[in-house]
Amino acid sequence: MSRRMVTTLAALAFAAAACGTPPGSPGTTTSTKTSTSTSAPAKRIKVPDVSGMNHQDAQNAMQRAGLYNLREVDGTGQGRALVIDRNWRQTAQDPPPGTEVDADAVITLTAVKYTDR
């Protein structure tokens, strides 16, 4: 054998000895530790009452409460986009005020333009 091969084999033998008996060898035991997560339940948020509010103010109130997943709906059924929020007035909301929801719950805000009759 060459000197280099002997040195390599010696290094491998030393490394194996330093690591102990390999897992699965006779006379050894292997333990598996299982950890369980005990996270607290998600914080629930009480939906504020935005009935009759200006749509922009209603959005601000929802966000102050911690609700950001807001869906806007034209209350006339025409499917118009609520482009300038201050031109719209709240007529409905879902879920209703006082309902406790998860922070990522969808809140539907229904509004009509102030000029709608």
Side-chain angles (χ1 to χ4, degrees):
M1 268 199 255
S2 73
R3 182 178 170 110
R4 183 177 185 161
M5 186 180 285
V6 170
T7 303
T8 303
L9 289 174
L12 289 173
F14 178 75
C19 293
T21 309
S25 296
T28 63
T29 59
T30 304
S31 67
T32 303
K33 184 177 180 181
T34 304
S35 67
T36 56
S37 176
T38 56
S39 60
K43 180 183 172 195
R44 307 280 287 174
I45 298 172
K46 193 176 203 179
V47 178
D49 185 359
V50 296
S51 305
M53 280 185 165
N54 172 277
H55 183 63
Q56 181 63 61
D57 294 338
Q59 288 177 322
N60 294 345
M62 290 294 176
Q63 292 174 358
R64 271 192 307 278
L67 300 167
Y68 294 92
N69 196 358
L70 306 177
R71 179 175 167 253
E72 302 173 323
V73 176
D74 176 0
T76 66
Q78 298 176 55
R80 298 174 295 181
L82 283 68
V83 177
I84 302 174
D85 295 330
R86 295 228 174 261
N87 291 344
W88 297 76
R89 175 181 49 86
Q90 286 307 125
T91 58
Q93 68 183 80
D94 184 48
T99 304
E100 290 193 359
V101 298
D102 291 333
D104 62 350
V106 176
I107 307 297
T108 302
L109 298 174
T110 303
V112 295
K113 278 191 166 189
Y114 284 109
T115 56
D116 291 340
R117 300 278 173 214

